[in-house]
Amino acid sequence: MPRRTTRSPVTVQPTMLPDTVPGCHELIHQLMQRLGVLEERLHLNSRNSSKPPSSDGPETPARAPRAKSGKRLGGQPGHKGSFRALVPESEVSQRIECAPPAQCDGCGCAVEPDGDKPMRHQVFELPEVKPIVSEYVRLRGICSGCGRKHHAALPAGVPSGQLGPRALALVGTLGGQFHLTQRKVQAVLSQLMGIQFSLGAVSQAHGLVSRALEQPVAQLHAELQHAPVGHVDETKHHSFNQTMWTWVLASDWGVKFRIDPSRGQGAAKKILGEQPEFITVSDRYAGYNHLPLDKRQVCWAHLLRDFERIGGRCALAGRIGKRLLAYGRLMFRWRDQAKGARHFVWLQQRIQTQLQLGSTQDQCSRTANTCANLLKMWPALWTFLRNPLVPPTNNAAERALRDYVIKRKLSYCTRSKRGMEFTERIFSTVQTCKMQARVPYDFVHEAVQSWIGHIRPPSLVPEHIHLHHPA
């Protein structure tokens, strides 16, 4: 065994220490502030920061349980219940009649036919899946004049690859809507569909689906710029060893995804536009500071988390944070009660007073900076009161990103430009279809068929949007 060597502990000597008592007090004050920052970082969770709930450890305090209603579990008296409706007889694949017994098992008498309606029992079963393999024999001919060889062309609508439109649509939606990795998509094709393909073929299929969705997604992105309200957010994206950013822009009918190597203001302008027409709902990230305050709404869900983090601090800062948190929750309660804008004047004055107090106190510089920043963007906190179409939260963008985050957790990264384009287009398609109550697989299948047949692709833009903003 190799000899274990022991190292002497390294001692760090300060380069300079104060030689006066006030200097020592100043140093202690600075060290206490640094200690407070580190302790606060240890206690960050999903309720006082942007960390996801899945990152909360066992030491995170549990949420306060709801008050028990006293009712028993399950359906309550008077509840009608819900039952699966029987499929109409015209849509039943086969009808099998089951005859009653010849004799009664109780008294032994003969059982006679009854004219009442029989009991219907339906069983749903999946058919055995076998791939349909079509072979196109391209006959060859030779020119009698020059001797040039000619091969018959494939019929219209036949793909040049080995996967048909339905198979391509399945591979695309499994990788996008259902978060499957390429290896798991390969397993589904093999074990359930009876199709044996390599991982490279699955990756190439994603590329073909991406090309089929290119035109519909480009039209979607163009029309989203005319929406009245746009929700924007960003999250990390890993491509090899490079950290990139996935940006999302969501309206009430469509979603745009874009992967960019930057998280700066330039990347924000690429997804929002240089001067967006819509009102932008976002968090307080500095990348959106180029937007006019009257065209912006700051997310109050993020503000509540900021207030809760401030409320966990000591002395005056903690008291200010607790008051702001109470006022923020009251704001949501009043909004749920559909109170008018005039009703919020008192609340605005109280919140502004606490922010001014927090920005001028000198006990906690972090609290002072946060309160000063909120006062600077004060009009953007209350855009939802001036425009009924604007919500006070950025939940639409966060909901649109949720499926992508799950996919990122399972697949971790992309490895090529083709992979990033597929990610952008399939998630734009899937999330838009979900908003419009459309089936993503059906749309992808139609888009692939149109791309193979060189005909006009389907549109992700609703018809009523076309009336105002024709393509």
Side-chain angles (χ1 to χ4, degrees):
M1 294 179 63
R3 178 185 297 178
R4 175 178 294 180
T5 58
T6 59
R7 298 181 181 179
S8 59
V10 180
T11 59
V12 180
Q13 298 293 337
T15 58
M16 183 184 300
L17 288 176
D19 54 0
T20 62
V21 173
C24 291
H25 288 171
E26 178 62 25
L27 178 61
I28 293 173
H29 178 69
Q30 294 176 4
L31 293 176
M32 291 298 294
Q33 284 189 329
R34 291 182 59 185
L35 179 62
V37 172
L38 296 175
E39 287 181 341
E40 182 176 308
R41 191 177 300 174
L42 285 175
H43 294 90
L44 290 181
N45 53 54
S46 60
R47 280 183 279 173
N48 56 21
S49 70
S50 297
K51 297 178 67 175
S54 58
S55 65
D56 291 345
E59 70 279 358
T60 303
R63 296 180 182 271
R66 294 182 179 180
K68 295 185 178 181
S69 62
K71 299 179 180 178
R72 298 176 59 186
L73 296 178
Q76 302 301 312
H79 177 60
K80 296 181 179 179
S82 58
F83 305 92
R84 179 183 299 278
L86 292 174
V87 174
E89 293 186 7
S90 58
E91 300 179 12
V92 173
S93 303
Q94 59 178 344
R95 188 172 185 271
I96 303 173
E97 292 187 355
C98 303
Q103 293 181 342
C104 176
D105 56 359
C107 64
C109 297
V111 176
E112 300 179 353
D114 191 356
D116 290 344
K117 292 183 178 180
M119 295 178 60
R120 298 174 61 194
H121 174 70
Q122 296 181 346
V123 178
F124 294 79
E125 177 62 298
L126 295 177
E128 181 182 358
V129 179
K130 290 185 178 180
I132 301 174
V133 182
S134 301
E135 180 177 337
Y136 297 87
V137 182
R138 301 174 61 188
L139 302 178
R140 186 177 67 178
I142 302 177
C143 177
S144 59
C146 63
R148 181 182 176 186
K149 297 180 180 180
H150 294 267
H151 288 84
L154 290 172
V158 176
S160 58
Q162 292 183 303
L163 288 176
R166 292 188 180 277
L168 286 173
L170 177 64
V171 171
T173 52
L174 286 178
Q177 181 182 6
F178 300 103
H179 321 133
L180 295 191
T181 63
Q182 292 183 358
R183 193 173 297 278
K184 289 185 177 180
V185 171
Q186 180 193 32
V188 169
L189 294 179
S190 173
Q191 299 175 19
L192 302 184
M193 306 298 169
I195 305 176
Q196 303 290 339
F197 278 99
S198 65
L199 285 176
V202 174
S203 177
Q204 291 177 1
H206 284 169
L208 296 178
V209 173
S210 176
R211 291 169 62 184
L213 295 175
E214 179 179 5
Q215 187 174 343
V217 171
Q219 183 192 41
L220 165 71
H221 292 182
E223 292 295 338
L224 277 176
Q225 302 301 321
H226 303 286
V229 181
H231 299 255
V232 64
D233 203 357
E234 75 288 333
T235 187
K236 285 185 179 180
H237 176 84
H238 301 285
S239 181
F240 282 107
N241 295 326
Q242 182 181 4
T243 298
M244 306 182 75
W245 297 89
T246 297
W247 294 76
V248 63
L249 175 63
S251 72
D252 59 345
W253 59 265
V255 181
K256 171 183 179 180
F257 279 80
R258 187 178 186 277
I259 299 177
D260 197 282
S262 171
R263 197 194 177 196
Q265 193 174 106
K269 290 182 178 180
K270 289 179 182 178
I271 192 168
L272 296 174
E274 289 291 334
Q275 296 179 344
E277 303 174 4
F278 49 80
I279 295 176
T280 304
V281 185
S282 68
D283 54 21
R284 293 190 299 116
Y285 174 53
Y288 310 119
N289 285 348
H290 66 284
L291 299 171
L293 293 179
D294 60 340
K295 302 275 289 184
R296 185 178 176 189
Q297 170 63 54
V298 175
C299 176
W300 272 87
H302 286 76
L303 293 183
L304 289 188
R305 294 198 287 265
D306 293 337
F307 296 158
E308 185 159 349
R309 184 164 64 251
I310 296 174
R313 296 169 184 165
C314 301
L316 179 60
R319 293 195 296 271
I320 292 174
K322 290 181 175 65
R323 293 168 191 162
L324 289 173
L325 182 61
Y327 290 147
R329 290 172 175 170
L330 180 61
M331 184 279 296
F332 277 104
R333 192 179 308 126
W334 283 359
R335 179 171 171 81
D336 291 341
Q337 296 171 0
K339 294 185 180 295
R342 293 182 179 180
H343 198 85
F344 288 83
V345 174
W346 173 86
L347 185 61
Q348 289 176 298
Q349 294 174 349
R350 291 299 183 99
I351 293 177
Q352 191 172 33
T353 300
Q354 293 301 315
L355 292 177
Q356 290 172 347
L357 180 61
S359 64
T360 55
Q361 56 84 32
D362 57 359
Q363 299 179 8
C364 180
S365 59
R366 289 163 290 150
T367 301
N369 293 336
T370 301
C371 293
N373 179 261
L374 290 177
L375 288 172
K376 185 178 179 180
M377 56 175 57
W378 179 257
L381 271 63
W382 307 100
T383 306
F384 72 94
L385 293 179
R386 303 189 298 270
N387 188 333
L389 296 178
V390 179
T393 67
N394 198 25
N395 290 346
E398 300 208 359
R399 282 195 298 266
L401 275 175
R402 188 174 300 160
D403 281 350
Y404 166 79
V405 172
I406 297 174
K407 172 70 173 180
R408 181 187 63 191
K409 206 170 198 178
L410 298 175
S411 298
Y412 186 67
C413 67
T414 54
R415 296 178 176 85
S416 64
K417 180 182 178 182
R418 181 177 67 188
M420 287 190 291
E421 289 179 346
F422 170 74
T423 300
E424 293 174 341
R425 293 168 185 171
I426 193 64
F427 276 100
S428 296
T429 301
V430 168
Q431 295 302 319
T432 298
C433 287
K434 289 172 66 174
M435 279 190 170
Q436 300 176 14
R438 301 166 71 176
V439 180
Y441 170 81
D442 292 343
F443 181 88
V444 176
H445 176 226
E446 186 178 355
V448 170
Q449 276 189 317
S450 303
W451 176 69
I452 293 175
H454 302 286
I455 59 177
R456 184 177 180 179
S459 176
L460 286 167
V461 183
E463 294 183 0
H464 69 277
I465 302 296
H466 279 292
L467 296 177
H468 296 87
H469 307 286

